[in-house]
C-alpha cells in the first residue's frame, strides 16, 4: 500500500495564520472598534448608525456587530463616486472600479496603508497554495480598473517571487512566454486556465514541456470538476502542485479575502482583516456554521473605505471542522454563485454551477458550455449548449441521455443542444455562461 505523500504546508506568517481562536477574537474586537469609529466619520455611516440609535462605542463584544445595519451595493452606488469614503481625498493613492452589469461602477479608494495591507495579504494568500520566492508567476489577470492584475502583482512581489505581468489574453504570446521564461505559476480565471490548457493541448505541448505546477484561480464560480480538468490539462499533480481557488471582491480590496490552502478543503478567510457572517438572504437572520447563505463581510483594517456588514451577494457556508494545514482562520466552502445569479426556472431554483457540475462529469464533453434562459413565453425554457471534446464523437442517443441526467439531477426539464467542437465562446477574463432571451 502506498501512503499519500505528506504535504509540507507553507505559510507566509505562521504566527498570525495559526493564532488561537481566542487570540483572533481579541484582535478582531480591537480592530472592529477602530473600523467602526473610522466609518462613523463618514456622514452616510454616521447617519445610518444614528438611525439605529447606535454609536461605535456601543460595540463592546464581537456579537454586538449584529446590532449594526448592513451595507449594500446600493449604498455604494447611491453615494457614487466616493460618498462612503472615510478619508480625505488627498490620502487616496489609488482607485479601482468594479463595473456592475448596469450603470455606474463601484469606486474603491485605497490609502498607502491599504495598498501595503493588501500586498501582504496577497503574499500570504499565494504562500498558502505553496508559492515561494523561487517561483516565476505569470500573471494573466487583467491589469487596470479590475483588481485581479495589480492584486496578484503586488502580492507576488511582496513574497519575493518573480512576476511576469502578462495580463489577460493573447494566448499564443502567453504560451511562448511560459515556455521561454520557465513559468512555474499561472494566475488567471479558471475559464482562462481551461482555454489556455486546451490551446496547449491543440499545439501538441505536453505538461512535461512546461514547468508550470500551480494555478491560482478565482474571480468567478467554478466546480470541483473544473478543478480536476485544469489539473489534468496542465499535469499539476505530477509536479506536486495543483489548481487552487482564490476569492475576493473589489469592495474589500480585491483578491486576497480568502484562499484554499494546499489541503484543497475549503477557503481560509483571513479573519484578522475581514469578519465573516452568513445570513439567510431574505430575512437577514444569522445562519450557523455549515448552513448555506449569503456571505456578509466587515473589513476591519481598510482605511479609505471600511465597509460594515457588507452584503456580498455570494452564497457559501462556513465549514465547522478544523483544517489539516493548522490554520485557524475560518474556512468557507467554494462559492456556489451570487444570490442574483440564481436562476428560477418554473419555480425551481438552480445555480449555473449546479448545471456545470452535471455537465463536467461527462468526460466526452468539452469544458465550454452556455446556459440559455428563454423568458419570452409564460413558461420559461432552459437549454444547455455543449460541445464534444476535440476528436470525440458523441453517441446518437447522447443528447437524450444528457437531458435525462439533467432532469434527474436538477429536478428540471431542459433541452440539451450539441454544438461542434470549438464552437462555443472561450473567455480570457470572467466567463459569461448564462444568456437571457427576454
Ligand atoms: O473578482 C477579485 C478577484 C480577482 C478575485 C482575482 C479572485 C481572483 P470583483 O471583480 O469585484 O473582484 O468581483 C467580485 O466575483 O463577489 C464573487 O461573486 C466573484 N468571485 C470572486 N472570486 C470568486 C471565486 C474580483 N473564487 C465577485 N469563486 C465576488 C466564485 C468569485 N466567485
Amino acid at each position: 500500500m502506498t501512503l499519500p505523500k505528506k504535504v509540507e504546508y507553507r505559510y507566509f506568517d505562521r504566527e498570525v495564520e495559526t493564532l488561537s481562536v481566542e487570540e483572533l477574537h481579541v484582535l478582531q474586537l480591537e480592530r472592529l472598534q477602530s473600523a467602526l469609529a473610522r466609518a462613523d466619520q463618514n456622514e452616510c455611516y454616521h447617519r445610518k448608525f444614528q438611525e439605529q440609535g447606535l454609536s461605535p462605542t456601543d460595540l463592546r463584544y464581537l456579537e454586538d456587530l449584529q446590532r449594526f445595519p448592513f451595507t449594500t451595493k446600493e449604498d455604494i452606488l447611491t453615494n457614487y463616486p466616493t460618498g462612503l469614503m472615510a478619508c480625505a481625498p488627498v490620502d487616496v493613492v489609488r482607485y479601482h472600479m468594479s463595473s456592475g452589469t448596469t450603470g455606474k461602477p463601484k469606486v474603491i479608494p485605497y490609502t498607502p496603508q491599504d495598498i501595503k495591507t493588501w500586498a501582504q495579504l496577497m503574499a500570504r494568500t499565494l504562500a498558502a497554495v505553496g508559492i515561494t520566492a523561487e517561483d516565476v508567476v505569470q500573471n494573466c489577470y487583467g491589469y487596470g480598473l479590475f483588481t485581479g492584475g495589480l492584486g496578484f502583482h503586488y502580492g507576488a512581489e511582496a513574497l519575493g517571487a518573480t512576476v511576469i505581468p502578462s495580463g489577460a489574453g493573447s494566448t499564443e504570446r502567453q504560451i511562448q512566454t511560459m515556455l521561454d521564461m520557465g513559468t512555474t505559476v499561472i494566475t488567471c480565471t479558471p475559464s482562462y486556465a481551461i482555454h489556455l490548457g486546451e490551446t496547449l493541448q491543440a499545439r501538441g505541448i505536453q505538461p512535461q514541456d512546461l514547468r508550470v505546477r500551480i494555478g491560482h484561480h478565482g474571480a468567478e464560480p467554478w466546480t470541483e470538476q473544473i478543478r480536476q480538468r485544469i489539473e489534468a490539462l496542465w499535469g499539476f499533480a505530477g509536479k506536486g502542485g495543483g489548481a487552487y481557488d482564490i476569492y475576493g471582491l473589489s469592495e474589500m480590496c480585491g483578491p486576497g479575502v480568502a484562499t484554499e490552502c494546499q489541503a484543497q478543503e475549503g477557503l481560509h478567510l483571513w479573519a484578522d482583516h475581514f469578519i465573516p457572517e452568513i445570513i439567510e438572504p431574505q430575512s437577514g437572520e444569522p445562519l450557523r456554521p455549515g448552513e448555506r447563505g449569503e456571505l456578509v463581510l466587515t473589513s476591519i483594517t481598510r482605511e479609505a473605505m471600511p465597509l460594515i456588514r457588507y452584503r456580498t451577494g455570494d452564497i457559501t457556508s462556513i465549514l465547522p471542522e478544523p483544517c489539516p494545514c493548522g490554520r485557524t482562520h475560518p474556512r468557507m466552502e467554494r462559492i456556489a454563485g451570487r444570490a442574483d445569479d440564481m436562476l428560477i426556472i418554473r419555480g425551481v431554483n438552480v445555480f449555473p454551477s449546479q448545471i456545470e457540475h452535471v455537465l463536467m462529469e461527462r468526460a466526452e464533453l468539452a469544458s465550454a458550455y452556455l446556459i440559455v434562459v428563454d423568458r419570452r413565453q409564460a413558461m420559461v425554457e432552459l437549454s444547455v449548449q455543449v460541445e464534444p471534446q476535440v476528436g470525440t464523437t458523441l453517441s446518437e442517443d447522447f443528447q437524450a441521455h444528457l437531458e435525462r441526467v439533467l432532469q434527474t439531477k436538477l429536478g428540471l426539464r431542459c433541452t440539451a443542444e450539441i454544438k461542434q467542437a470549438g464552437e462555443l465562446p472561450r473567455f480570457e477574463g470572467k466567463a459569461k455562461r448564462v444568456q437571457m432571451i427576454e
Side-chain angles (χ1 to χ4, degrees):
M1 192 179 80
T2 49
L3 288 170
K5 196 171 139 274
K6 199 168 173 297
V7 182
E8 192 208 318
Y9 292 109
R10 293 187 182 277
Y11 305 86
F12 180 65
D13 185 344
R14 190 178 188 129
E15 205 185 312
V16 175
E17 292 170 54
T18 60
L19 280 176
S20 73
V21 173
E22 294 71 30
E23 288 168 320
L24 203 48
H25 284 174
V26 170
L27 185 63
Q28 282 182 327
L29 181 60
E30 193 185 298
R31 289 182 168 177
L32 178 59
Q33 283 168 331
S34 64
L36 283 172
R38 202 173 171 92
D40 194 51
Q41 290 168 16
N42 170 278
E43 223 182 284
C44 171
Y45 264 117
H46 184 71
R47 202 173 340 110
K48 267 170 91 94
F49 294 167
Q50 264 194 334
E51 277 166 14
Q52 307 280 319
L54 287 167
S55 103
T57 49
D58 290 322
L59 185 123
R60 310 231 323 271
Y61 305 98
L62 281 176
E63 296 72 42
D64 293 332
L65 178 58
Q66 291 190 5
R67 295 167 55 200
F68 283 76
F70 291 120
T71 309
T72 61
K73 289 183 201 299
E74 288 67 41
D75 288 324
I76 299 184
L77 292 173
T78 50
N79 290 288
Y80 177 86
T82 55
L84 282 192
M85 203 155 86
C87 71
V90 67
D91 294 329
V92 174
V93 290
R94 194 192 298 171
Y95 289 115
H96 279 281
M97 293 184 200
S98 164
S99 50
T101 36
T102 50
K104 291 176 180 144
K106 289 174 258 104
V107 175
I108 319 297
Y110 300 70
T111 65
Q113 185 56 47
D114 287 336
I115 299 283
K116 271 189 213 147
T117 309
W118 185 22
Q120 292 295 302
L121 261 180
M122 272 306 290
R124 188 199 285 182
T125 298
L126 298 170
V129 302
I131 301 172
T132 71
E134 315 263 301
D135 277 300
V136 177
V137 179
Q138 190 163 326
N139 185 18
C140 320
Y141 283 104
Y143 280 70
L145 292 175
F146 177 52
T147 51
L150 288 173
F152 275 83
H153 187 109
Y154 276 51
E157 283 187 356
L159 187 61
T162 309
V163 193
I164 303 176
S166 58
S170 308
T171 303
E172 295 299 333
R173 178 179 50 77
Q174 300 280 9
I175 292 173
Q176 199 57 51
T177 306
M178 59 185 76
L179 283 166
D180 296 347
M181 302 304 292
T183 300
T184 56
V185 175
I186 51 149
T187 55
C188 60
T189 57
S191 40
Y192 192 51
I194 289 276
H195 178 42
L196 257 174
E198 284 176 347
T199 312
L200 287 167
Q201 204 173 46
R203 302 281 175 281
I205 301 167
Q206 304 295 322
Q208 59 270 26
D209 301 332
L210 296 167
R211 292 183 61 212
V212 187
R213 62 179 225 291
I214 290 176
H216 211 175
H217 310 299
E220 62 185 13
W222 51 312
T223 55
E224 188 57 35
Q225 284 75 9
I226 287 289
R227 187 219 301 280
Q228 284 163 15
R229 284 177 177 230
I230 295 175
E231 291 189 341
L233 270 171
W234 290 83
F236 285 153
K239 297 176 190 164
Y244 302 93
D245 197 359
I246 166 167
Y247 169 78
L249 61 163
S250 315
E251 297 91 308
M252 290 292 130
C253 62
V257 174
T259 183
E260 279 185 327
C261 64
Q262 290 153 288
Q264 293 182 321
E265 291 177 18
L267 291 85
H268 290 279
L269 197 141
W270 302 125
D272 53 336
H273 294 271
F274 310 100
I275 298 182
E277 298 170 69
I278 304 286
I279 60 161
E280 204 287 312
Q282 260 81 46
S283 67
E285 287 303 312
L287 294 176
R288 285 191 301 268
E291 292 180 331
R292 219 185 234 195
E294 179 179 345
L295 176 67
V296 170
L297 291 171
T298 297
S299 58
I300 52 175
T301 52
R302 292 265 301 151
E303 290 186 342
M305 191 172 81
L307 290 173
I308 310 300
R309 305 195 79 202
Y310 183 67
R311 295 194 57 161
T312 65
D314 294 321
I315 303 296
T316 183
S317 66
I318 299 291
L319 301 169
E321 303 300 324
C323 184
C325 75
R327 286 182 182 81
T328 46
H329 294 239
R331 274 180 312 159
M332 61 177 205
E333 66 165 338
R334 61 170 67 245
I335 304 277
R338 302 178 42 75
D340 45 15
D341 286 345
M342 190 171 71
L343 304 170
I344 305 174
I345 313 284
R346 301 187 296 272
V348 179
N349 297 352
V350 58
F351 275 113
S353 60
Q354 287 172 274
I355 301 179
E356 176 177 298
H357 184 101
V358 177
L359 299 177
M360 294 305 122
E361 279 187 332
R362 313 300 314 204
E364 57 275 68
L365 289 181
S367 303
Y369 67 93
L370 186 68
I371 299 165
V372 181
V373 181
D374 188 341
R375 295 191 182 278
R376 286 172 302 180
Q377 310 288 329
M379 279 292 258
V380 180
E381 290 298 328
L382 175 72
S383 65
V384 180
Q385 300 182 355
V386 293
E387 59 178 57
Q389 297 270 24
V390 177
T392 304
T393 314
L394 298 176
S395 60
E396 259 175 40
D397 61 351
F398 183 83
Q399 180 189 355
H401 175 70
L402 184 61
E403 285 174 353
R404 273 199 305 277
V405 175
L406 283 163
Q407 168 138 29
T408 318
K409 299 237 169 130
L410 307 174
L412 193 64
R413 184 175 43 72
C414 93
T415 332
E417 239 182 278
I418 316 285
K419 301 281 183 188
Q420 300 291 319
E423 195 180 336
L424 290 169
R426 266 55 178 179
F427 300 92
E428 294 170 350
K430 294 182 192 245
K432 286 190 187 57
R433 301 284 189 204
V434 181
Q435 186 189 330
M436 295 285 177
I437 307 179
E438 314 203 64

